[in-house]
């Protein structure tokens, strides 16, 4: 076990060659476990600074709740989408008497690991998280689950851990957006997406690709890019516009990227949407603050936050079994504005 990582009941079970359930009973002083075995397990736990998540256990089995704190991990605060999700979580939690403890991963795996360790030490009753872009190892999430701490993913889900999740319908959102661009006359549509290890990237890319195929247009890998922020969009787009067969439309993974494309296209002396159409994905405040206003896919972040909080609190209070994996999908909506015909 990593010396820096909090010990879990799974680690103790492995040490003694027994089940996690047996460890749990021993730590609760259950008479079902022999006194000798109970004392040995309890002593080992004390020597290794293991502290069971007492608050979570109390919350799951009692209406008298001494402390209700939910840990929330946010990759970044700059995106309207994440702030709207956070608002949904906070309002829903407050309505049931919970408070939230928010931590910023800054899109960095090592920060995410440290946050999970701290949440464990602080004895939060559950964690709601959207993983960082570069996260490829999921042991820190599994340790939370092994410690009996309910975990719910939102937006960027972790397929390496069997935990509940709430996502928007990324595939259909992308499919409908690209279909709209095609139906308004676009035939060469570029795709700007996030790194493909993220499920949202795969789903939006598949929606983009399937819309092309459904409408009889060829898929051209040369006009797809890993690009999910405005700065990179402004750097990459001039190269795309200089192609012999330049795109006549762009579909971007988020609004900030789409706005970067929009300003670059306008600086190049081209008209939007007459020469080039653009569609984003978020429908944040910036989508109506640009000229022309942005056609985009509305993600309904507030609803995502509400659903994630409800799932977590139901598990904390024992209304839903800890081991039950909830998978909820929030539908998207295409909002047509001035950057498409």
């Amino acid at each position: 076990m990593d010396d820096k990582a909090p010990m879990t009941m799974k680690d103790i079970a492995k040490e003694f060659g027994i089940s996690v359930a047996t460890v749990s009973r021993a730590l609760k002083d259950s008479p079902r476990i022999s006194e000798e075995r109970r004392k040995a397990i309890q002593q080992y736990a004390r020597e290794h600074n293991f502290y069971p998540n007492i608050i979570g256990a109390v919350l799951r089995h009692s209406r008298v709740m001494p402390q209700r704190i939910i840990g929330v991990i946010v990759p970044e605060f700059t995106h309207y989408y994440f702030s709207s999700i956070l608002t949904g979580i906070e309002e829903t939690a407050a309505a049931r008497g919970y408070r939230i403890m928010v931590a910023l991963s800054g899109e960095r795996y090592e920060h995410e690991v440290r946050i999970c360790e701290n949440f464990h030490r602080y004895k939060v009753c559950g964690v709601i998280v959207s993983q960082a872009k570069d996260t490829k190892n999921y042991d820190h999430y599994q340790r939370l689950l092994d410690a009996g701490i309910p975990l719910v993913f939102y937006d960027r889900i972790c397929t390496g851990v069997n935990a509940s999740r709430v996502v928007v319908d990324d595939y259909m959102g992308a499919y409908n957006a690209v279909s709209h661009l095609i139906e308004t006359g676009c035939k060469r549509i570029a795709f700007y997406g996030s790194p493909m290890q993220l499920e949202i990237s795969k789903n939006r890319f598949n929606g983009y690709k399937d819309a092309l195929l459904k409408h009889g247009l060829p898929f051209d890998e040369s006009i797809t890019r890993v690009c999910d922020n405005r700065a990179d969009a402004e750097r990459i787009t001039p190269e795309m516009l200089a192609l012999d067969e330049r795109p006549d439309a762009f579909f971007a993974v988020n609004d900030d990227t789409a706005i970067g494309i929009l300003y670059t296209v306008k600086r190049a002396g081209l008209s939007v949407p007459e020469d080039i159409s653009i569609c984003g994905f978020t429908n944040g405040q910036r989508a109506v603050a640009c000229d022309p206003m942005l056609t985009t896919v509305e993600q309904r972040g507030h609803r995502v936050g509400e659903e994630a909080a409800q799932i977590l609190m139901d598990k904390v209070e024992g209304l839903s079994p800890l081991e039950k994996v909830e998978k909820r999908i929030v539908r998207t909506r295409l909002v047509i504005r001035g950057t498409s015909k």
Side-chain angles (χ1 to χ4, degrees):
M1 186 184 73
D2 185 347
D3 290 337
K4 296 182 179 179
M7 172 164 283
T8 69
M9 284 194 282
K10 187 175 182 180
D11 297 322
I12 299 174
K14 185 176 180 181
E15 175 68 22
F16 284 87
I18 57 180
S19 70
V20 172
T22 300
V23 173
S24 178
R25 294 188 188 103
L27 294 175
K28 293 174 183 175
D29 228 17
S30 169
R32 295 174 62 182
I33 311 300
S34 70
E35 183 178 359
E36 182 181 357
R37 174 61 63 88
R38 288 202 310 268
K39 288 183 177 179
I41 293 171
Q42 290 168 4
Q43 182 177 347
Y44 182 84
R46 284 193 299 272
E47 289 173 351
H48 291 81
N49 297 313
F50 173 78
Y51 302 99
N53 187 12
I54 297 169
I55 291 175
V58 170
L59 288 173
R60 283 192 292 275
H61 297 99
S62 174
R63 291 290 180 179
V64 180
M65 301 185 178
Q67 185 173 351
R68 303 180 174 196
I69 298 178
I70 297 170
V72 182
I73 303 177
V74 181
E76 55 183 319
F77 285 128
T78 55
H79 278 307
Y80 168 83
Y81 181 55
F82 288 126
S83 64
S84 64
I85 290 174
L86 193 57
T87 301
I89 293 172
E90 198 281 330
E91 291 179 355
T92 306
R96 285 173 65 170
Y98 290 76
R99 293 176 292 163
I100 64 172
M101 181 186 294
V102 182
L104 178 69
S105 72
E107 300 286 16
R108 296 178 65 181
Y109 163 75
E110 62 271 19
H111 286 183
E112 195 176 80
V113 172
R114 194 175 308 117
I115 291 166
C116 286
E117 292 172 356
N118 287 335
F119 279 168
H120 190 185
R121 292 190 182 102
Y122 297 154
K123 299 293 187 278
V124 298
C125 60
V127 175
I128 300 175
V129 57
S130 179
Q131 73 175 54
K133 290 178 185 175
D134 65 349
T135 296
K136 297 176 183 177
N137 182 299
Y138 314 115
D139 291 349
H140 52 302
Y141 294 139
Q142 190 60 53
R143 283 194 288 270
L144 291 175
L145 291 172
D146 291 343
I149 300 173
L151 182 65
V152 178
F153 286 95
Y154 67 91
D155 188 52
R156 302 177 191 166
I157 64 172
C158 173
T159 57
V161 173
N162 194 28
S164 297
R165 72 276 312 261
V166 181
V167 296
V168 300
D169 196 342
D170 292 297
Y171 173 87
M172 284 307 301
Y175 181 90
N176 291 335
V178 175
S179 294
H180 162 69
L181 295 173
I182 296 169
E183 289 161 6
T184 54
C186 301
K187 298 185 182 299
R188 187 163 169 77
I189 303 168
F191 174 83
Y192 283 9
S194 295
M196 280 297 168
Q197 71 259 25
L198 297 174
E199 282 299 301
I200 62 167
S201 303
K202 296 175 186 176
N203 292 335
R204 291 178 195 179
F205 177 72
N206 288 335
Y208 158 80
K209 192 173 179 180
D210 286 353
L212 295 178
L213 298 176
K214 176 71 174 179
H215 291 84
L217 296 181
F219 166 69
D220 185 349
E221 190 173 1
S222 71
I223 54 173
T224 67
R225 296 286 188 276
V226 174
C227 175
D228 59 5
N229 60 75
R230 178 170 178 170
D232 285 348
E234 293 187 13
R235 177 178 57 82
I236 292 171
T237 303
E239 303 170 10
M240 302 287 272
L241 299 178
L243 294 172
D244 290 337
E245 292 185 75
R246 75 179 185 215
D248 58 7
F250 289 81
F251 172 64
V253 71
N254 58 48
D255 285 356
D256 280 354
T257 303
I259 291 169
I261 297 167
L262 171 61
Y263 278 83
T264 305
V265 168
K266 290 172 69 177
R267 280 198 299 268
L270 298 168
S271 296
V272 178
E274 289 77 15
D275 297 320
I276 293 178
S277 294
I278 302 168
C279 182
F281 208 114
T282 301
N283 197 32
Q285 296 170 344
R286 296 176 188 177
V288 294
C290 55
D291 182 27
M293 290 190 289
L294 187 66
T295 292
T296 186
V297 178
E298 184 176 51
Q299 288 182 276
R300 300 175 65 205
H302 193 280
R303 182 64 179 167
V304 171
E306 290 176 341
E307 294 281 350
Q310 293 288 3
I311 291 173
L312 187 83
M313 291 184 295
D314 284 351
K315 289 187 179 300
V316 167
E317 296 174 19
L319 302 176
S320 173
L322 274 177
E323 63 275 9
K324 182 181 179 182
V325 175
E326 299 267 5
K327 298 179 182 179
R328 297 187 189 175
I329 299 175
V330 175
R331 291 186 179 181
T332 59
R333 179 174 72 96
L334 180 64
V335 181
I336 300 172
R337 298 194 182 99
T339 58
S340 63
K341 299 172 186 174

